[in-house]
Amino acid sequence: MTIDGLGRFGVWRGYKGFTPEDAAELEKLGYSALWLGGSPPADLPVVESLLEATQTLIVATSIVNIWTAPANTVAESFHRIEQRFPGRFLLGIGAGHPEADKPYQKPYDALVHYLDELDAAGVPKNRIALAALGPKVLELSRTRTTGALPYLVPPEHTARARRILGPALLVAEQKLVLDDDPQRAREVGRQMVEMYLGLRNYVSNLRRLGFSEEDVTKPGSDRLIDVLAVHGTPVEVARQVVEHAKAGADHVALQALGEDYLGSLRRLAPLLTTAE
């Protein structure tokens, strides 16, 4: 499943990391969505400035944290944005991590309650997506939202998620480093991946996928880094990110690592259509 205007490839970055100028250029390059990470606050700043700077680009949160962003305020923000930019905003929500969010109790029940609040506030099901890794939350994303937003996953997870989701939306995040020196590229990728290896939601998911204790122990094995932060020449990276699409993803949110994320995305953009 896809939503109107959501093409095959978008860009994932912390919500403070995009400028309106970046958004306009990324749209011209052919990227169809911006995914705002870093738990944006409930009033959803930045979103409207990015939409103002573009014509058709979709802006999505990936994700709003249910522990820190009250559902009623998020719903008000959704309606404000929707009134100005109909159909161009997707609300991604998620339960965060027990190590970072207090209180963190019964996240599944909390997600259901949060979705109930959004529903009562008139936020349409087809404009909400859910951060999901394990089978139970993937199933919830299928039944209560338009689909799932898995993060820090290899294509194997994408294939498993597709079997659970059926025709629901599936957006896979993929980190990448444009550098054909494997050692140097792994250093860049590891700096990002390592910080997630202290969060049990991600580690448990990686173990389910067959990664060993050695793989998921900080700082992460080369095998793990090579899958979660793909690297190589632009042609090689384009071929690797397309593996998510082949595994069943409707859309891939690309997180370009390194000092010049725009430069990497400029080099990658013309190769993505030919790599499919």
Side-chain angles (χ1 to χ4, degrees):
M1 174 182 177
T2 57
I3 63 175
D4 290 344
L6 186 64
R8 299 295 273 174
F9 297 99
V11 179
W12 193 104
R13 193 166 171 81
Y15 77 92
K16 296 180 180 180
F18 290 109
T19 66
E21 293 76 20
D22 291 350
E25 179 174 356
L26 290 167
E27 181 178 56
K28 290 178 181 177
L29 288 170
Y31 297 101
S32 61
L34 302 183
W35 299 89
L36 310 186
S39 298
D43 60 346
L44 301 179
V46 178
V47 171
E48 285 150 306
S49 66
L50 300 177
L51 290 170
E52 286 172 348
T54 55
Q55 300 298 313
T56 61
L57 194 77
I58 287 174
V59 174
T61 53
S62 181
I63 47 82
V64 166
N65 189 317
I66 67 169
W67 305 110
T68 60
N72 60 340
T73 307
V74 171
E76 291 172 1
S77 299
F78 173 87
H79 290 302
R80 183 191 76 236
I81 296 166
E82 177 66 11
Q83 185 174 19
R84 292 192 62 198
F85 303 97
R88 293 184 59 202
F89 176 64
L90 179 65
L91 176 62
I93 68 168
H97 305 280
E99 297 85 355
D101 301 303
K102 302 296 181 183
Y104 188 97
Q105 298 175 344
K106 297 182 179 178
Y108 182 88
D109 292 344
L111 281 169
V112 170
H113 179 69
Y114 200 93
L115 289 169
D116 289 343
E117 291 188 272
L118 292 177
D119 182 59
V123 180
K125 168 184 173 178
N126 66 354
R127 305 297 301 287
I128 306 169
L130 188 59
L133 293 175
K136 190 174 181 181
V137 182
L138 283 166
E139 179 64 21
L140 181 66
S141 70
R142 183 185 70 82
T143 59
R144 293 293 307 273
T145 76
T146 197
L149 310 173
Y151 183 88
L152 200 76
V153 293
E156 181 184 351
H157 181 275
T158 298
R160 294 187 184 189
R162 174 51 70 202
R163 290 193 289 271
I164 294 170
L165 289 169
L169 178 70
L170 176 54
V171 176
E173 177 269 346
Q174 177 66 69
K175 296 171 182 58
L176 63 94
V177 183
L178 288 196
D179 193 329
D180 59 5
D181 181 306
Q183 182 174 350
R184 192 167 57 215
R186 287 185 186 121
E187 289 176 2
V188 174
R190 186 169 275 115
Q191 288 174 12
M192 177 62 70
V193 171
E194 181 180 3
M195 68 180 186
Y196 296 107
L197 299 182
L199 300 174
R200 71 169 180 256
N201 291 2
Y202 290 126
V203 171
S204 296
N205 186 58
L206 292 168
R207 289 194 186 110
R208 281 195 297 267
L209 294 168
F211 289 97
S212 68
E213 196 63 34
E214 181 181 356
D215 288 326
V216 300
T217 298
K218 290 185 177 185
S221 69
D222 285 355
R223 174 189 175 221
L224 183 72
I225 302 304
D226 287 350
V227 173
L228 297 182
V230 298
H231 51 83
T233 66
V235 171
E236 291 168 339
V237 167
R239 186 172 64 246
Q240 291 175 88
V241 301
V242 167
E243 290 302 309
H244 279 288
K246 293 179 178 178
D250 297 298
H251 180 92
V252 185
L254 304 178
Q255 185 177 174
L257 306 180
E259 295 181 359
D260 184 12
Y261 94 99
L262 265 178
S264 294
L265 294 169
R266 289 182 190 117
R267 295 168 65 194
L268 196 58
L271 302 171
L272 292 174
T273 54
T274 58
E276 291 189 72

